[in-house]
């Protein structure tokens, strides 16, 4: 089966990891700060805090903003559950903003209407998490304007979007947000096996992120409650976690980052190939807006309803039966049993549910070959038209 996504590991990647394994420090050594610096240089942000997953990154980003009980976080229903779970970890509530039917990102017009309503009812969100779905940047400038008007923080979930560009600036520069979060899971733009990072331009937020990464412990005398010069002394001043990334993982990330531009180049080449070949099929593709460059983490097609005799599920199964590992990103989060069990009434998410009834991710990853692409297109054509 051709998977929908897969890591690309080179001999250089392996050498870099082995070097750490032979060194003195497997964790809390030099590789993590080096990886943080390199990601910051790449995206143009001031500070990076590496952690053990994208989920942890979202969690400490929310903690750093003081999200807690009585607060609301809004995100897109078409995302991985982690984009919403981070609020629940903090004791806050979650609500969802419907997607734009063309970009599959959170719709800014819908958001605006929802904000107007929330203001009237006195329940404006404290944090909004826009997700750059499939690598396609959200309309950050508009989101930023709304954040100024309605007073919410923005944490970009850029798990799909390291290497994507919005208005000529790499995602992660945080011009229009407080923080940006990346994931380095194997299917993501680069991998550390498991791993994530928060980037920000705020010194204050960085301090908090570092604190929550390591138990809430500090060795900085400026942050301590009491004055104590003893060399062993440290203080726990808040309740944090052990979310540290190891140097073994960071070493893989350092090496992978040098390959990111090649990865993105190949992903975009594959996407172009699909676009050129799929226009005769009854499918709709994600709209890439001008001013944005998608890193093409996913390549999603929507099968036009009633265009074939087969149901969405039948098409999906037939693709897999023919060796093409299609996937569905994502089941709308608000439909998950856990979210349904919370007793919250989620409203006006029709576009997300319509999307869910039609969407399918075709394989896209750097090592996908041209022969693979031909096979995928021919299987899809057969399943949709011939069979
Ligand atoms: C992968 C992913 C995450 C979580 O990242 P992990 O590193 O797997 O914890 C969060 N949000 C989105 C949109 C993702 O795709």
């Amino acid at each position: 089966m051709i998977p929908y996504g897969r890591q690309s590991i080179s001999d250089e990647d392996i050498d870099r990891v082995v070097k750490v394994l032979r060194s003195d420090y497997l964790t809390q050594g030099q590789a993590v700060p080096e990886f943080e610096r390199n990601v910051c240089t790449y995206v143009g942000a001031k500070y990076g805090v590496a952690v053990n997953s994208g989920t942890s990154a979202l969690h400490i980003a929310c903690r750093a903003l003081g999200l807690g009980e009585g607060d609301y976080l809004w995100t897109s229903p078409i995302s991985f559950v982690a984009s919403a779970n981070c609020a629940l970890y903090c004791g806050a509530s979650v609500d969802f903003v419907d997607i734009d039917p063309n970009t599959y990102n959170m719709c800014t017009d819908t958001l605006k209407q929802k904000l107007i309503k929330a203001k009237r009812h006195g329940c404006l969100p404290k944090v909004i998490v826009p997700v750059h779905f499939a690598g396609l940047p959200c309309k950050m400038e508009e989101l930023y304007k709304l954040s100024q008007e309605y007073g919410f923080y923005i944490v970009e979930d850029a798990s799909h979007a390291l290497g994507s560009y919005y208005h000529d600036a790499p995602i992660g520069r945080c011009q229009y947000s407080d923080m940006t979060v990346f994931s380095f899971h194997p299917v993501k733009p680069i991998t550390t096996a498991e791993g994530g990072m928060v980037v920000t331009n705020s010194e204050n937020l960085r301090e908090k992120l570092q604190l929550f990464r390591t138990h809430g412990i500090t060795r900085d005398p400026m942050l301590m409650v009491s004055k104590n010069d003893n060399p062993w002394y440290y203080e726990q001043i808040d309740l944090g976690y052990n979310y540290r990334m190891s140097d073994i993982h960071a070493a893989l990330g350092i090496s992978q980052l040098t390959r990111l531009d090649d990865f993105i180049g190949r992903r975009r080449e594959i996407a172009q190939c699909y676009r050129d070949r799929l226009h005769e099929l009854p499918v709709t593709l994600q709209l890439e807006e001008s001013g944005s460059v998608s890193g093409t983490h996913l390549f999603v097609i929507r099968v036009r309803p009633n265009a074939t005799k087969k149901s969405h599920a039948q098409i999906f199964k037939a693709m897999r039966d023919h060796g093409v590992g299609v996937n569905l990103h994502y089941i709308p989060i608000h439909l998950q049993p856990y979210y349904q069990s919370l007793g919250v009434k989620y409203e006006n998410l029709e576009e997300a549910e319509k999307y869910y009834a039609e969407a399918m991710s075709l394989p896209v990853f750097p090592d996908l070959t041209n022969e693979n692409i031909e096979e995928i297109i021919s299987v899809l054509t057969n399943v949709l038209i011939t069979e």
Side-chain angles (χ1 to χ4, degrees):
M1 177 108 73
I2 305 171
Y4 85 86
R6 189 194 145 84
Q7 72 277 12
S8 168
I9 301 296
S10 67
D11 289 341
E12 289 74 32
D13 291 342
I14 292 167
D15 290 346
R16 190 94 200 196
V17 172
V18 169
K19 223 169 95 191
V20 169
L21 284 169
R22 294 188 196 285
S23 75
D24 290 336
Y25 294 99
L26 302 187
T27 187
Q28 297 181 281
Q30 283 314 299
V32 167
E34 184 180 341
F35 183 43
E36 288 171 341
R37 282 195 303 274
N38 293 1
V39 170
C40 282
T41 304
Y42 187 93
V43 303
K46 278 196 189 147
Y47 311 111
V49 178
V51 287
N52 59 359
S53 75
T55 303
S56 303
L58 283 162
H59 185 193
I60 61 170
C62 289
R63 286 295 310 270
L65 293 172
L67 188 74
E69 216 174 305
D71 294 330
Y72 264 94
L73 177 148
W74 291 1
T75 188
S76 169
I78 298 299
S79 184
F80 185 54
V81 291
S83 309
N85 286 347
C86 55
L88 303 185
Y89 296 155
C90 299
S93 304
V94 175
D95 203 355
F96 301 96
V97 181
D98 207 2
I99 60 165
D100 176 314
N102 300 309
T103 65
Y104 318 154
N105 279 330
M106 178 190 286
C107 175
T108 16
D109 293 333
T110 306
L111 171 63
K112 192 166 178 186
Q113 295 314 312
K114 199 174 166 75
L115 285 166
I116 291 169
K117 226 167 127 189
K119 190 171 179 183
R120 237 185 277 137
H121 293 106
C123 54
L124 283 167
K126 179 163 188 164
V127 180
I128 288 190
V129 177
V131 182
H132 304 304
F133 181 76
L136 183 71
C138 294
K139 292 182 175 145
M140 291 310 299
E141 220 170 315
E142 296 172 27
L143 276 169
Y144 178 73
K145 277 194 201 124
L146 289 172
S147 77
Q148 296 298 299
E149 195 177 338
Y150 291 92
F152 55 82
Y153 295 107
I154 300 178
V155 177
E156 297 171 66
D157 184 342
S159 297
H160 300 180
L162 182 64
S164 292
Y165 280 74
Y166 174 74
H167 292 183
D168 300 322
I171 289 293
R173 188 160 289 181
C174 300
Q175 283 161 294
Y176 304 109
S177 66
D178 298 281
M179 288 173 274
T180 301
V181 165
F182 297 110
S183 163
F184 308 122
H185 177 278
V187 296
K188 305 292 162 80
I190 64 167
T191 189
T192 61
E194 296 282 3
M197 196 180 293
V198 188
V199 296
T200 182
N201 295 320
S202 157
E203 166 109 55
N204 180 258
L205 287 174
R206 173 182 63 167
E207 211 164 72
K208 291 188 171 146
L209 292 166
Q210 287 176 334
L211 205 62
F212 287 119
R213 170 172 64 182
T214 306
H215 310 280
I217 285 175
T218 185
R219 291 174 188 279
D220 180 351
M222 298 287 289
L223 297 177
M224 288 185 189
V225 173
S226 40
K227 196 170 159 34
N228 188 324
D229 294 335
N230 289 314
W232 68 80
Y233 192 70
Y234 60 82
E235 280 185 356
Q236 183 188 343
I237 59 170
D238 207 327
L239 184 61
Y241 318 91
N242 179 356
Y243 280 172
R244 287 190 301 268
M245 177 182 274
S246 84
D247 282 60
I248 302 169
H249 295 83
L252 181 54
I254 292 167
S255 181
Q256 285 264 303
L257 188 63
T258 65
R259 305 175 61 208
L260 176 59
D261 288 340
D262 290 341
F263 288 165
I264 301 283
R266 179 59 184 156
R267 282 177 180 276
R268 289 185 57 79
E269 209 172 82
I270 293 164
Q272 193 51 51
C273 209
Y274 279 142
R275 271 189 225 108
D276 290 345
R277 303 287 303 282
L278 295 180
H279 63 263
E280 281 165 14
L281 296 180
V283 297
T284 313
L285 307 179
Q286 189 182 26
L287 188 73
E288 189 158 348
E289 294 171 309
S290 61
S292 286
V293 179
S294 170
T296 318
H297 164 62
L298 299 172
F299 192 89
V300 175
I301 61 171
R302 288 176 72 164
V303 181
R304 288 193 210 122
N306 310 319
T308 71
K309 280 193 228 78
K310 294 196 187 74
S311 71
H312 182 234
Q314 283 170 331
I315 295 164
F316 204 94
K317 282 188 206 121
M319 292 295 290
R320 288 210 178 159
D321 287 345
H322 288 93
V324 178
V326 289
N327 222 312
L328 212 169
H329 301 96
Y330 294 90
I331 303 165
I333 301 174
H334 66 281
L335 297 182
Q336 292 291 352
Y338 185 74
Y339 278 84
Q340 290 283 314
S341 78
L342 296 177
V344 181
K345 201 155 162 256
Y346 309 106
E347 289 175 328
N348 304 323
L349 299 170
E350 289 77 18
E351 290 300 339
E353 290 174 23
K354 229 187 281 175
Y355 166 92
Y356 176 51
E358 300 173 4
M360 199 174 298
S361 306
L362 297 183
V364 58
F365 52 90
D367 294 339
L368 193 74
T369 66
N370 290 347
E371 292 72 46
N372 291 149
I373 299 171
E374 288 311 313
E375 189 187 333
I376 292 159
I377 290 169
S378 115
V379 168
L380 182 65
T381 308
N382 277 330
V383 168
L384 288 181
I385 299 195
T386 324
E387 274 178 11

